[in-house]
Amino acid sequence: MAQKSFRQALNEALHHEMRRDPNVIVLGEDVAGGSGASGQKDAWGGAFGVTKGLLGAFGPSRVRDTPITESAFVGAAAGAAMTGLRPVAEIMFVDFLGVCFDQIFNQAAKFRYMFGGKAVTPLVIRATYGAGTRSASQHSQALYPIFTHVPGLKVVIPSSPYDAKGLLIQAIRDNDPVIFLENKVLYDTVGEVPDGAYTVPFGEAHIVREGGDATIVALGRMVHFAREAAEILAAEGIDCTVLDPRTTSPLDEDTLLEMAEETGRVVIVDEANPRCGMAADISSIIAEKAFGALKAPIMKVTAPHTPVPYAPNLEAAYIPDAKRIADAVRKAVAFKRS
Amino acid sequence: MAQKSFRQALNEALHHEMRRDPNVIVLGEDVAGGSGASGQKDAWGGAFGVTKGLLGAFGPSRVRDTPITESAFVGAAAGAAMTGLRPVAEIMFVDFLGVCFDQIFNQAAKFRYMFGGKAVTPLVIRATYGAGTRSASQHSQALYPIFTHVPGLKVVIPSSPYDAKGLLIQAIRDNDPVIFLENKVLYDTVGEVPDGAYTVPFGEAHIVREGGDATIVALGRMVHFAREAAEILAAEGIDCTVLDPRTTSPLDEDTLLEMAEETGRVVIVDEANPRCGMAADISSIIAEKAFGALKAPIMKVTAPHTPVPYAPNLEAAYIPDAKRIADAVRKAVAFKRS
Amino acid sequence: MTGLQLSREELLKAYRLMRMIRVFEDRVSAEMASGDIPGNTHLYAGQEASAVGICLHLSESDRIASTHRGHGHCIAKGCDVDGMMAEIFGKDTGICRGKGGSMHIADLSKGMLGANGIVGGAPPIACGAALTSQILGRNDVSVAFTGDGGINQGTTAESMNLAQVWKLPVIFAVEDNGFGEATASSFVVAGEITKRAEALGMAFAKVDGVDFFAVHEAAGEAVERARRGEGPTLLHIETPRYYGHFSGDPDNYRTAEEKAAMRRDRDCLPRFRRRVTEAKLLGLDELDKVDAEVQAAIDQAVASARSAPQPALSSLTTDVYVRY
Amino acid sequence: MTGLQLSREELLKAYRLMRMIRVFEDRVSAEMASGDIPGNTHLYAGQEASAVGICLHLSESDRIASTHRGHGHCIAKGCDVDGMMAEIFGKDTGICRGKGGSMHIADLSKGMLGANGIVGGAPPIACGAALTSQILGRNDVSVAFTGDGGINQGTTAESMNLAQVWKLPVIFAVEDNGFGEATASSFVVAGEITKRAEALGMAFAKVDGVDFFAVHEAAGEAVERARRGEGPTLLHIETPRYYGHFSGDPDNYRTAEEKAAMRRDRDCLPRFRRRVTEAKLLGLDELDKVDAEVQAAIDQAVASARSAPQPALSSLTTDVYVRY
Ligand SMILES: Cc1ncc(C[n+]2csc(CCOP(=O)(O)OP(=O)(O)O)c2C)c(N)n1
Ligand SMILES: Cc1ncc(C[n+]2csc(CCOP(=O)(O)OP(=O)(O)O)c2C)c(N)n1
Ligand SMILES: [Mg+2]
Ligand SMILES: [Mg+2]
């Protein structure tokens, strides 16, 4: 299978789906770039190049550079979705949700319920998330716990190029509003990606690695650190399962509980802030539903309760890493009931 | 001590602090009401009457009816707070956070950190929350998990008139941005409230009731249901502690863990949606830090993963109640490790 | 006066819809006062000529996005009145199965994309419907309703800019009833509302919202402009608000005289009756017959809403997703 | 040309600040390219006359709220250049202790309320500072900087309305460099920017942002208007953007010719030099001396930023709250 970058995988997904379905449109700030200017068109293809080439392939009616008004264009995407299109709207950084959150959580997410089941809103909102690019407090957040909290939204966080493509195709074909979050630091990571279209279903966790001593649950970029930690630990004789839920809403509770029960020890890695975060969420599900099988405290490895700092050394300390994960697993393994 | 309503307690707090400190101002939609109109001034005193009388006492410069532009006036309150005032901004329903969230979570909450500790932002944002008034999906949400998730914000949820007054005074005197959430259904509840000014500190849970068999953690309106459940259970011989954290950020972890350890069984009641909610958050803290003392799964009693429905019977089923809480406690008490 | 060239059928339809809205709202107010309706409603009484004057130009494939004060828009756009009443009563037969209530009435099959509890919520959604029409090459238009309060909301300003740069077939119908809740618009709305459109190069018109024919004419031009692909229009429609902001609002920020004068001098229904009878287009007897029919229809709607079943408790958790 | 009545000291100060911004930005660009600076910056080069023309009217108790392209505003408002450079290098000696970086430079003691990573983030904050001034009866003014892109953001529209109805002493300085990122403003900004102010009844002016004296004059009127309690003003300032949107942007959406012509014909620095020397207000030697001093200051700032320590790791969790 061909090796492709995470970015290219996403780009292929968009190409496939736009070709397949004329109702799919892409809109956002500089998703093409160069609109109205003297030089090259499609100059950016999105701030991270993910939508590059779509303008040429599908034209300016279906690939739209928007004004910098996220409420207007995300809300328009929601309205378009409710009336027959399948829009893929890009919010450059998920940190910008604050200027358009109403259209996401009170409108798109609730249409179907409020209207007694009559609305169908096949909307995808793509956004980058995550720290690690020295972009500081307002361009580095994770924020998926906020979306996961909201009934009516689906939330997708791919960790590999393969999943990125399959999950994005699924998101576009899905009939509910989907928040699709891309870790900026992963764009250049490479992996096997089939050329054709395929879907990765929502709500099915990926068992990245199996081991009987502990289960490490991780999302997005954290999956890579979890795997790294698992390798370090394997060398010490501690064998870990690494589980990537891939979607936080729906969440694959069954696999999660199964792995928690099999290993009896769980460490959850979450790049988000800790309070009401994903680690908390997953922990609480296990503490309620797999309690009897637990041999140790459920450990959380998360960012601290602080904004994301700018200085490289502080930012590095902010982001969970393999060392902290391995320490947490060791602590869980060493735990003895007093 | 005088019996006063929750509403009156809040109103007194505002009067006290505006009298005490000329830098305290109040702004929001119809916090007075009648501005620019032919009839009575101060016609509303806020949609729920909490700010009634402030206009007459402190005048239109310090008590301002705003345009319906939450981003502008909440952001202005943040800017005013950073430059010397102590604004109390009212967002009528917390559900409206979606139109002004950026100014709260990316601006006010992060000024201090981003600016290296130099900013002080003594801002209070008051908002109503909660279901039970047949106000449907966009006027009934809890949403405190979203604020609790955000570093830099403090989050306060009073459950009694006494706490309401003391916590609001504390919020206004506090030097950090505070989200102060008032359950609409509690406004007419009555309790003992001293006439003078007093503060209730943040981060100190209130032990509403003590009992050795289980700990029920509950917030805001849920405290009343928790107490009701505890009474039902007491009649069955199950003795519960009821713990009201009062503030979710900061959270009184010490008392929480202490009670969890003492009783070994914990049920957390949360009017918010379950995913990444407060129940999840508190559960995960206990599952990590008091695991050894746990005798049973940590149970969550929350709203379902749905928007708030309109029909009275559905809405009643949406909101956690004493029966569901008691059931969860019974389940925890009956739990046997297999 | 172009509106007077409407056919008899159209005139009767317009009158019936306006009367239907008025009677619906007066009845909801009464039922609310007697405690038979849960929750809270914002009544459209007084503003009927606006909704009807606009929606008479629209077919089912055209779309509207509405406000918290949405009953009138729903009725004008063809929503089933029985279903609406049952919805407001919180019943299973409601147009949203009792899940939405007054502030979320919607019927997508009629092109009614929802009342909206969020001030400024509708304009982006209406732009989206217009985008669908534009991209699919249809000539459907959409209408975003907002109030004088909602005109200030950032979402409205953003949507107007988006509509203008994309030449979307959308109409911004600003129903200016002089108040946002208890605050006079003069206190919070800077400048002239129409100039906000003019500043963007957007077409606009200001009309007397008590005059059905004036609204109908201005809306007709806006709809035609949109259908021709010439982009959006803002309509500034001045209208009274008969009740308080919400049903139950003591409305004491307006003097009794002001309110009495408003109801006496600014009522679209007698104005319409006078116009069409003076022009001999319809007879008083015809109009009275409509009134009686409407009254009966609303009585019937209330009766059936009252006796309808509550939603099944199992429906609490359905309709969150298409599939989860 | 009123600006020419500035004192020699003021003229030298203006020139020094403009040159300081230019050299600062060119140097940051070079350091970024060589990989010595982490992250990402948006350079203000080309726009200097705007920040300086405005801020020269302000004292430390006046406040400004800035954008992602904030270095120029910071320098013009008196922020310490060493501290700024150290901040951008992510060092403990940075003006925000290395926690903020380029997009969050602030110095409240100088009335600089922060660069801002959110387009449209500044206007509400500037309104807030103006509100403080108004309520406390001071005559301080505040300035909200935004771009041609940010003018569309709902927060900006809302803030303009708020400022106008409350007559806040605030100036909306719209720096129109023709682009929001890679998209031309002609593609996304409907109508005329000044008309958005006019529609609200707000004072406004449009000025050539390459001409320091034009900016200075218009800003002076706006500041005086605000100090007199007569409310807000919008300044539409047309200015070039020398670099791409961010440092590293290939900037290929503009032709090489367009960029060359911009740098040749639209540079505030030679224009200023020509003006003041032709009017015999300053000598070339004086100006060259400033250039040399500025160059030395920036060299020094970079050297000390480079050798400064990183923040202590313990500072990761401090400064989240005053007290928690
Ligand atoms: C974002 C938001 N802010 C505030 C409210 C509360 N609210 C409901 S209706 C209303 C007044 C709206 O005024 P206007 O737009 O003039 O409409 P009208 O009620 O006059 O029809 C307000 C402030 C809301 N629903 N949404
Ligand atoms: C709310 C928000 N949306 C998008 C962005 C990404 N972004 C950063 S700068 C920029 C362009 C801003 O254009 P303009 O206001 O003209 O300022 P300029 O960069 O030209 O100085 C964009 C879209 C952002 N930072 N915040
Ligand atoms: Mg109104
Ligand atoms: Mg620009």
Side-chain angles (χ1 to χ4, degrees):
Chain A
M1 227 186 294
Q3 294 280 318
K4 292 169 193 164
S5 73
F6 198 95
R7 176 184 292 105
Q8 191 184 341
L10 293 167
N11 184 270
E12 283 183 7
L14 291 164
H15 267 100
H16 282 303
E17 294 310 293
M18 290 194 80
R19 225 164 13 233
R20 176 177 185 267
D21 183 348
N23 290 335
V24 177
I25 65 164
V26 164
L27 70 174
E29 292 151 18
D30 294 295
V31 290
S35 292
S38 62
Q40 196 180 302
K41 300 300 158 211
D42 198 25
W44 276 24
F48 295 88
V50 172
T51 47
K52 189 85 181 168
L54 297 176
L55 179 73
F58 305 103
S61 175
R62 291 177 63 201
V63 181
R64 293 190 178 220
D65 283 342
T66 64
I68 308 169
T69 52
E70 285 82 1
S71 278
F73 76 76
V74 169
M82 195 174 21
T83 53
L85 296 182
R86 305 187 83 85
V88 181
E90 175 174 313
I91 301 179
M92 207 174 287
F93 292 80
V94 73
D95 312 68
F96 307 160
L97 80 88
V99 297
C100 58
F101 194 44
D102 183 71
Q103 291 292 328
I104 300 172
F105 98 110
N106 268 335
Q107 312 295 341
K110 294 186 172 62
F111 285 153
R112 188 170 179 78
Y113 195 83
M114 294 190 302
F115 303 163
K118 283 177 300 190
V120 179
T121 310
L123 166 68
V124 180
I125 299 176
R126 293 180 44 245
T128 66
Y129 83 94
T133 61
R134 288 74 171 98
S135 300
S137 299
Q138 293 173 338
H139 285 73
S140 305
Q141 295 166 88
L143 299 183
Y144 41 77
I146 292 179
F147 297 111
T148 304
H149 181 63
V150 177
L153 297 180
K154 293 176 175 172
V155 184
V156 181
I157 311 175
S159 67
S160 70
Y162 179 90
D163 283 353
K165 180 169 174 178
L167 289 166
L168 183 52
I169 292 177
Q170 173 58 36
I172 295 171
R173 295 184 190 174
D174 202 274
N175 281 325
D176 291 306
V178 178
I179 310 294
F180 192 94
L181 296 171
E182 305 162 11
N183 191 303
K184 308 185 258 299
V185 178
L186 294 182
Y187 278 130
D188 290 318
T189 58
V190 170
E192 299 205 327
V193 177
D195 289 332
Y198 60 94
T199 59
V200 172
F202 291 173
E204 291 192 13
H206 176 215
I207 301 171
V208 178
R209 187 186 195 289
E210 277 190 279
D213 295 322
T215 298
I216 309 176
V217 184
L219 282 156
R221 185 182 179 202
M222 296 300 108
V223 173
H224 301 266
F225 294 144
R227 194 192 265 140
E228 210 184 300
E231 275 155 30
I232 295 169
L233 292 162
E236 300 171 15
I238 301 174
D239 234 11
C240 293
T241 289
V242 173
L243 193 70
D244 173 7
R246 296 196 284 208
T247 61
T248 63
S249 181
L251 183 71
D252 183 354
E253 276 201 13
D254 292 346
T255 306
L256 205 60
L257 294 173
E258 197 183 303
M259 294 297 127
E261 278 164 5
E262 267 180 29
T263 60
R265 295 182 194 90
V266 181
V267 171
I268 311 160
V269 194
D270 183 6
E271 185 176 335
N273 293 116
R275 303 299 315 285
C276 299
M278 268 320 299
D281 184 72
I282 292 173
S283 167
S284 75
I285 292 168
I286 294 169
E288 180 156 4
K289 299 189 180 169
F291 177 78
L294 291 177
K295 300 176 195 153
I298 307 171
M299 313 292 290
K300 296 179 289 176
V301 180
T302 72
H305 185 63
T306 76
V308 183
Y310 170 69
N313 66 325
L314 297 183
E315 193 188 29
Y318 175 93
I319 306 169
D321 59 18
K323 187 186 165 313
R324 283 177 57 205
I325 299 167
D327 285 347
V329 173
R330 287 187 200 105
K331 223 169 132 184
V333 170
F335 179 81
K336 296 247 153 22
R337 230 171 262 275
S338 51
Chain B
M1 227 185 296
Q3 294 279 318
K4 292 168 193 165
S5 73
F6 197 95
R7 175 185 293 106
Q8 190 184 343
L10 293 166
N11 184 271
E12 283 184 6
L14 291 164
H15 268 101
H16 280 305
E17 294 310 293
M18 291 194 79
R19 223 162 18 229
R20 177 179 184 264
D21 183 346
N23 290 334
V24 177
I25 65 164
V26 165
L27 70 173
E29 291 151 19
D30 295 293
V31 290
S35 291
S38 62
Q40 195 178 305
K41 301 300 159 211
D42 198 23
W44 275 25
F48 295 88
V50 172
T51 48
K52 189 86 182 166
L54 297 176
L55 179 73
F58 304 104
S61 175
R62 291 175 65 200
V63 181
R64 291 189 180 223
D65 283 340
T66 64
I68 307 168
T69 53
E70 285 82 1
S71 277
F73 77 74
V74 169
M82 193 173 26
T83 54
L85 297 183
R86 306 187 84 84
V88 181
E90 175 174 314
I91 300 179
M92 207 174 287
F93 291 80
V94 74
D95 313 67
F96 307 160
L97 80 88
V99 298
C100 59
F101 195 44
D102 184 73
Q103 291 292 328
I104 300 172
F105 98 110
N106 268 334
Q107 311 296 341
K110 294 186 172 62
F111 285 153
R112 188 169 178 79
Y113 194 82
M114 295 190 299
F115 303 164
K118 283 177 301 193
V120 178
T121 311
L123 167 67
V124 180
I125 299 176
R126 292 179 45 245
T128 66
Y129 82 94
T133 60
R134 290 71 171 100
S135 301
S137 298
Q138 294 175 338
H139 286 72
S140 306
Q141 297 166 88
L143 299 182
Y144 42 76
I146 292 179
F147 296 110
T148 305
H149 181 63
V150 177
L153 297 180
K154 293 176 175 172
V155 183
V156 181
I157 311 175
S159 66
S160 71
Y162 180 90
D163 283 354
K165 180 169 175 179
L167 288 167
L168 184 52
I169 292 177
Q170 173 58 36
I172 296 171
R173 295 183 190 176
D174 201 274
N175 281 323
D176 292 306
V178 178
I179 310 294
F180 192 94
L181 296 171
E182 305 163 11
N183 191 303
K184 307 185 258 299
V185 178
L186 295 182
Y187 278 131
D188 289 318
T189 58
V190 170
E192 299 206 326
V193 178
D195 289 333
Y198 59 93
T199 60
V200 172
F202 291 173
E204 291 192 14
H206 176 214
I207 301 171
V208 178
R209 187 185 195 290
E210 276 189 279
D213 295 322
T215 299
I216 308 175
V217 184
L219 282 156
R221 185 182 178 203
M222 296 300 108
V223 173
H224 301 267
F225 293 143
R227 193 192 268 141
E228 209 184 302
E231 276 156 30
I232 295 169
L233 291 162
E236 301 170 16
I238 301 174
D239 234 12
C240 293
T241 290
V242 173
L243 194 69
D244 172 8
R246 297 197 281 207
T247 61
T248 63
S249 182
L251 183 70
D252 183 352
E253 277 201 13
D254 291 346
T255 306
L256 206 59
L257 294 173
E258 198 184 301
M259 294 298 127
E261 278 163 5
E262 268 181 30
T263 59
R265 295 182 194 89
V266 181
V267 172
I268 311 160
V269 194
D270 183 5
E271 185 177 334
N273 293 117
R275 305 297 316 283
C276 299
M278 267 320 299
D281 184 73
I282 291 173
S283 167
S284 75
I285 292 168
I286 294 169
E288 181 157 4
K289 300 187 179 169
F291 177 78
L294 291 178
K295 300 177 197 155
I298 307 171
M299 312 292 290
K300 296 180 289 177
V301 179
T302 72
H305 185 62
T306 76
V308 183
Y310 171 70
N313 66 326
L314 297 183
E315 193 188 29
Y318 175 93
I319 305 169
D321 59 19
K323 185 186 166 314
R324 284 178 56 206
I325 299 168
D327 284 346
V329 172
R330 288 187 201 104
K331 221 168 132 184
V333 169
F335 178 81
K336 295 247 151 25
R337 229 173 262 275
S338 50
Chain C
M1 183 52 62
T2 56
L4 291 179
Q5 287 140 19
L6 284 168
S7 71
R8 279 177 42 79
E9 287 63 40
E10 285 171 311
L11 288 171
L12 276 170
K13 181 177 177 197
Y15 182 71
R16 180 182 305 274
L17 287 169
M18 291 199 293
R19 177 64 69 190
M20 186 72 84
I21 296 170
R22 176 70 54 86
V23 176
F24 189 95
E25 295 297 61
D26 285 346
R27 184 62 174 267
V28 168
S29 172
E31 298 290 334
M32 287 282 321
S34 67
D36 283 357
I37 289 179
N40 193 343
T41 56
H42 307 86
L43 303 174
Y44 194 76
Q47 310 190 184
E48 296 85 352
S50 172
V52 177
I54 293 168
C55 292
L56 218 63
H57 293 286
L58 307 180
S59 69
E60 283 187 357
S61 61
D62 296 312
R63 276 128 178 169
I64 70 170
S66 168
T67 69
H68 57 288
R69 200 176 300 288
H71 301 171
H73 307 135
C74 295
I75 291 174
K77 194 66 177 59
C79 289
D80 175 56
V81 172
D82 290 343
M84 285 176 60
M85 191 63 85
E87 186 62 31
I88 295 169
F89 272 82
K91 296 302 180 71
D92 191 45
T93 52
I95 201 161
C96 302
R97 309 292 307 273
K99 283 179 168 173
S102 165
M103 266 194 289
H104 307 295
I105 293 174
D107 188 345
L108 306 192
S109 71
K110 305 284 186 194
M112 165 61 201
L113 304 184
N116 207 309
I118 302 298
V119 172
I125 296 166
C127 285
L131 185 61
T132 297
S133 173
Q134 185 183 68
I135 287 183
L136 299 183
R138 301 189 182 144
N139 80 342
D140 302 327
V141 307
S142 65
V143 180
F145 286 97
T146 178
D148 49 290
I151 193 72
N152 289 327
Q153 194 63 275
T155 49
T156 306
E158 292 186 6
S159 298
M160 285 173 57
N161 182 70
L162 188 74
Q164 182 65 12
V165 294
W166 285 1
K167 290 270 174 245
L168 294 176
V170 59
I171 292 151
F172 297 92
V174 185
E175 300 183 316
D176 178 1
N177 56 19
F179 282 86
E181 297 189 341
T183 299
S185 60
S186 59
F187 194 76
V188 284
V189 180
E192 280 289 321
I193 288 174
T194 50
K195 287 196 174 166
R196 298 192 187 190
E198 193 179 20
L200 305 175
M202 187 187 295
F204 60 89
K206 182 167 180 175
V207 289
D208 178 3
V210 181
D211 181 351
F212 164 82
F213 297 101
V215 175
H216 186 265
E217 181 176 352
E221 285 170 20
V223 168
E224 285 318 309
R225 180 176 298 118
R227 294 209 203 281
R228 287 194 307 268
E230 292 170 15
T233 303
L234 178 142
L235 299 177
H236 179 180
I237 303 161
E238 289 185 308
T239 168
R241 189 194 74 197
Y242 276 10
Y243 288 96
H245 170 61
F246 60 91
S247 58
D249 177 5
D251 197 0
N252 55 355
Y253 41 89
R254 298 193 283 189
T255 60
E257 301 77 59
E258 181 184 341
K259 285 186 280 187
M262 167 182 72
R263 286 194 178 246
R264 187 186 58 231
D265 304 333
R266 304 193 67 208
D267 189 335
C268 57
L269 285 161
R271 183 129 16 145
F272 183 97
R273 288 169 68 102
R274 211 175 320 121
R275 268 304 178 79
V276 292
T277 51
E278 280 171 8
K280 303 213 186 323
L281 296 167
L282 298 174
L284 269 180
D285 52 336
E286 292 177 292
L287 295 166
D288 289 344
K289 180 152 167 280
V290 168
D291 289 356
E293 285 165 2
V294 164
Q295 187 60 57
I298 296 294
D299 287 344
Q300 168 54 34
V302 170
S304 68
R306 215 187 279 285
S307 63
Q310 290 189 315
L313 282 185
S314 61
S315 75
L316 172 63
T317 54
T318 59
D319 301 328
V320 183
Y321 298 92
V322 175
R323 186 157 164 269
Y324 195 57
Chain D
M1 184 52 61
T2 55
L4 291 177
Q5 287 141 15
L6 284 168
S7 71
R8 280 176 42 78
E9 289 61 42
E10 285 171 311
L11 288 170
L12 276 169
K13 182 178 176 196
Y15 182 72
R16 181 182 303 275
L17 287 168
M18 292 198 291
R19 178 62 72 190
M20 188 72 85
I21 296 170
R22 177 68 54 85
V23 176
F24 189 95
E25 295 297 61
D26 285 345
R27 184 61 174 269
V28 168
S29 173
E31 299 289 335
M32 287 280 322
S34 68
D36 284 358
I37 289 179
N40 192 343
T41 56
H42 308 86
L43 303 173
Y44 194 75
Q47 311 190 185
E48 297 83 354
S50 171
V52 177
I54 292 167
C55 292
L56 219 62
H57 293 285
L58 307 180
S59 69
E60 283 185 357
S61 61
D62 296 312
R63 276 126 178 173
I64 69 170
S66 168
T67 68
H68 58 288
R69 200 177 299 289
H71 301 171
H73 307 134
C74 295
I75 292 175
K77 195 65 175 59
C79 289
D80 176 55
V81 173
D82 291 344
M84 285 177 60
M85 191 63 86
E87 186 63 31
I88 294 169
F89 272 82
K91 296 305 181 69
D92 191 46
T93 53
I95 202 161
C96 302
R97 308 294 306 272
K99 282 178 168 172
S102 165
M103 265 193 291
H104 306 295
I105 293 174
D107 188 344
L108 306 191
S109 71
K110 305 284 186 193
M112 165 61 203
L113 304 184
N116 208 309
I118 303 298
V119 171
I125 297 166
C127 285
L131 184 61
T132 298
S133 172
Q134 185 183 67
I135 287 183
L136 298 183
R138 299 189 183 143
N139 79 342
D140 302 326
V141 307
S142 65
V143 180
F145 285 97
T146 178
D148 49 290
I151 193 72
N152 289 327
Q153 194 62 274
T155 49
T156 306
E158 291 185 7
S159 299
M160 285 172 57
N161 183 70
L162 188 74
Q164 183 63 14
V165 295
W166 285 359
K167 290 270 173 243
L168 293 176
V170 60
I171 292 151
F172 297 92
V174 185
E175 300 183 318
D176 178 0
N177 57 20
F179 282 86
E181 297 189 342
T183 299
S185 59
S186 58
F187 194 77
V188 285
V189 180
E192 280 289 319
I193 288 174
T194 49
K195 287 196 174 165
R196 299 192 186 189
E198 193 180 18
L200 304 176
M202 187 187 295
F204 61 89
K206 182 168 181 174
V207 287
D208 178 2
V210 181
D211 180 349
F212 164 82
F213 296 102
V215 175
H216 186 265
E217 182 177 348
E221 286 170 20
V223 168
E224 284 318 308
R225 180 175 299 118
R227 293 207 203 283
R228 285 195 307 267
E230 293 169 14
T233 303
L234 177 141
L235 299 177
H236 179 182
I237 302 161
E238 290 185 309
T239 168
R241 188 193 74 198
Y242 276 11
Y243 289 96
H245 171 62
F246 60 91
S247 57
D249 177 4
D251 197 0
N252 55 355
Y253 41 87
R254 299 192 283 189
T255 61
E257 302 76 61
E258 181 183 341
K259 286 186 278 186
M262 166 182 72
R263 284 193 179 248
R264 186 186 61 232
D265 304 333
R266 304 193 66 207
D267 188 337
C268 58
L269 285 161
R271 183 126 21 142
F272 183 97
R273 287 169 68 99
R274 210 175 321 121
R275 257 325 164 72
V276 293
T277 51
E278 278 171 6
K280 301 214 187 322
L281 296 167
L282 298 173
L284 269 180
D285 53 335
E286 292 177 293
L287 295 165
D288 290 343
K289 182 155 166 279
V290 168
D291 289 357
E293 286 166 2
V294 163
Q295 188 60 57
I298 296 296
D299 288 344
Q300 168 55 35
V302 170
S304 69
R306 215 186 278 287
S307 64
Q310 290 188 316
L313 282 185
S314 61
S315 74
L316 172 63
T317 53
T318 59
D319 301 328
V320 183
Y321 298 91
V322 175
R323 188 160 160 267
Y324 196 56

